[in-house]
Amino acid sequence: MSGTLELIGLTKRFGQNVVVDDLSLEIPQGHFFALLGASGCGKTTTLRMLAGLERPNSGRILLDGDDITEKRPFKRPLNTVFQSYALFPHLTVEENVAFGLKERRQKQIKEKVAEMLELVELKEFGSRKPNQLSGGQQQRIALARALVNRPQVLLLDEPLGALDLKLRHQMQIELKGIQAELDLTFVHVTHDQEEAMTMADQIAVMNEGRIVQLGTPIELYENPETVFVANFLGVSNLLPGRVVGRRDVVVEVDVDGQRIKAPADRNRAQGELAHIGVRPEKLHVALPDFDVPDGHNAIEGVIVSDAFTGVGTQFQIRLKSGQEVSAFVQNRSTGDRQAVGDRIQLHWDIEHTFCLEGREDPAAGDEARHEAGIPAVSGAGA
Ligand SMILES: Nc1ncnc2c1ncn2[C@@H]1O[C@H](COP(=O)(O)OP(=O)(O)O)[C@@H](O)[C@H]1O
Ligand SMILES: [Mg+2]
């Protein structure tokens, strides 16, 4: 199998506007790779350069070591699926899928088309026209039409964007299944962090034409390196503080007069100013006199709101500084429940703490998140 992509210093300008900025990436064969970022950050432009539809101002694109930067689009072993499925309305489903094969005068077109329709589970729909299919079915036809050409790499630009939520979740699982079955390289562009996390092996988070962090969904979620990534991928509580101690394994940060520890390998603060970060579902809400276990951080607060969601409760807690943090507590306890107005103690495992550069804007990534239509406060299962 082949299909390893290398992007080396890719840059694209439109006039004065640098849209893709010296971008370098390696996308290994057989990976489901997501480019994740807010609208306008340069995702589509990057994909169009890979497809040969846009010419980079500088940089190179290699496929299995071959330089394809100057190759014409149809000479590249890549295919693209767009958000607008771009099916031919006057052709039947079969004719749509067969289109590329006919253009290239391939043999055994009928068999190949049948095989693809089987793969996307639309065998019986071959003689229909696209407008006689649902959105999800049309998307699967667009997929079959791209895959029938046996590309080494499939490029997908917000392919599920036009589908409603339920269908989108279903198609996420189906797409992932098809990718695994064919062992193809998928490059999937999306602004939807949940979609990227559900499907991708590797995610490159993009902002203003650059990659800000690259990793598996778990790495990015558990160990964000910037405020932007901490806020864009999931919800983070960020507490401003001052670094007061650096040791081999932990950094210590003063937050409101309390000493909070974070693992040294999760520290990104260069100087004195830091943001301590912790995800809402990592927090425990305990009584003020609770004996906090060793290896945990603790901070006091007052509950200002609680929203019971069935699987758990979403708390807002005001700290001494006046800052509010979110805690999501699973519905597992049998005893009394904490309620609004209660003084409590928040505690959490040091291992669940990250420490970010304090000079970064604590709201970085929030706007991007907002534009992507993801609420600022949410929790597991909410
Ligand atoms: N053909 C073009 N001419 C001028 N500007 C463009 C063109 N295509 C994209 N842009 C601009 O480049 C930026 C990135 O666009 P795009 O790659 O489509 O972002 P994304 O897919 O991440 O939403 C946007 O500001 C957009 O307006
Ligand atoms: Mg786009």
Side-chain angles (χ1 to χ4, degrees):
M1 273 310 267
S2 50
T4 296
L5 270 175
E6 257 177 286
L7 289 58
I8 306 166
L10 271 191
T11 298
K12 180 68 189 177
R13 288 187 293 271
F14 291 112
Q16 298 285 18
N17 195 5
V18 182
V19 166
V20 177
D21 191 1
D22 193 22
L23 189 142
S24 295
L25 266 184
E26 188 178 327
I27 304 176
Q29 192 281 320
H31 272 225
F32 199 122
F33 193 94
L35 264 182
L36 171 68
S39 161
C41 76
K43 305 180 299 292
T44 294
T45 304
T46 304
L47 216 61
R48 286 174 59 81
M49 288 193 280
L50 296 180
L53 301 169
E54 208 74 74
R55 211 165 159 218
N57 292 91
S58 57
R60 292 191 302 148
I61 302 165
L62 308 186
L63 181 62
D64 299 319
D66 290 338
D67 193 328
I68 60 164
T69 320
E70 299 295 328
K71 262 198 182 158
R72 305 288 297 279
F74 58 89
K75 296 272 189 193
R76 302 182 184 205
L78 308 164
N79 269 98
T80 311
V81 177
F82 299 98
Q83 175 175 354
S84 63
Y85 318 123
L87 297 174
F88 302 114
H90 57 288
L91 300 183
T92 66
V93 163
E94 269 170 2
E95 288 163 346
N96 263 285
V97 177
F99 190 83
L101 297 176
K102 282 188 183 148
E103 288 272 284
R104 292 185 292 117
R105 300 174 192 283
Q106 300 275 304
K107 295 199 176 69
Q108 294 177 300
I109 290 179
K110 217 174 162 54
E111 291 80 355
K112 286 175 182 164
V113 169
E115 189 191 342
M116 278 305 135
L117 289 181
E118 171 114 45
L119 180 75
V120 298
E121 293 175 14
L122 286 172
K123 225 172 22 182
E124 305 85 46
F125 295 80
S127 54
R128 291 212 196 167
K129 294 278 174 64
N131 67 6
Q132 295 171 308
L133 299 175
S134 71
Q137 290 168 336
Q138 289 182 37
Q139 185 53 277
R140 269 142 61 193
I141 298 302
L143 191 64
R145 191 178 58 176
L147 290 172
V148 79
N149 299 310
R150 293 281 168 200
Q152 288 165 18
V153 179
L154 192 70
L155 308 173
L156 303 117
D157 193 354
E158 313 260 6
L160 309 180
L163 305 178
D164 67 43
L165 192 65
K166 194 167 164 220
L167 198 52
R168 199 149 75 217
H169 284 157
Q170 192 184 325
M171 281 295 294
Q172 286 170 2
I173 294 162
E174 285 183 24
L175 255 183
K176 177 89 189 139
I178 289 171
Q179 186 266 342
E181 191 176 329
L182 300 177
D183 194 28
L184 276 182
T185 310
F186 273 34
V187 185
H188 178 107
V189 156
T190 180
H191 66 269
D192 182 335
Q193 44 119 10
E194 190 193 305
E195 183 165 300
M197 289 211 272
T198 308
M199 293 201 286
D201 305 312
Q202 288 269 318
I203 300 175
V205 183
M206 234 179 133
N207 188 28
E208 295 178 349
R210 292 166 177 261
I211 304 296
V212 289
Q213 196 175 342
L214 172 72
T216 65
I218 293 174
E219 282 162 1
L220 293 175
Y221 187 82
E222 303 293 359
N223 194 5
E225 292 175 356
T226 58
V227 170
F228 183 90
V229 174
N231 285 332
F232 190 59
L233 238 90
V235 175
S236 293
N237 293 304
L238 297 174
L239 312 174
R242 288 179 182 276
V243 177
V244 289
R246 289 176 194 273
R247 287 190 260 137
D248 283 352
V249 287
V250 292
V251 288
E252 283 188 74
V253 178
D254 183 307
V255 176
D256 283 348
Q258 315 238 14
R259 289 219 160 183
I260 305 292
K261 291 178 183 160
D265 60 2
R266 293 190 179 186
N267 174 39
R268 308 288 154 189
Q270 304 278 333
E272 200 190 356
L273 294 180
H275 293 294
I276 282 292
V278 60
R279 301 289 192 178
E281 75 280 8
K282 310 291 204 236
L283 295 173
H284 301 271
V285 179
L287 297 173
D289 59 358
F290 179 75
D291 196 9
V292 172
D294 282 349
H296 275 219
N297 287 312
I299 198 161
E300 288 167 9
V302 175
I303 297 177
V304 289
S305 75
D306 57 352
F308 180 65
T309 65
V311 291
T313 303
Q314 180 76 50
F315 290 106
Q316 285 297 108
I317 290 140
R318 186 175 299 130
L319 306 181
K320 257 195 316 203
S321 64
Q323 186 182 358
E324 285 187 15
V325 297
S326 301
F328 183 82
V329 177
Q330 281 216 354
N331 186 7
R332 277 201 194 124
S333 72
T334 51
D336 289 342
R337 293 170 192 277
Q338 271 88 16
V340 172
D342 285 358
R343 295 195 58 79
I344 54 99
Q345 196 170 194
L346 284 175
H347 66 97
W348 69 96
D349 199 316
I350 291 170
E351 293 298 319
H352 290 150
T353 316
F354 45 89
C355 182
L356 305 175
E357 172 55 48
R359 285 167 302 183
E360 269 193 273
D361 176 2
D366 275 347
E367 199 181 330
R369 188 184 171 81
H370 182 72
E371 275 172 21
I374 302 153
V377 175
S378 72

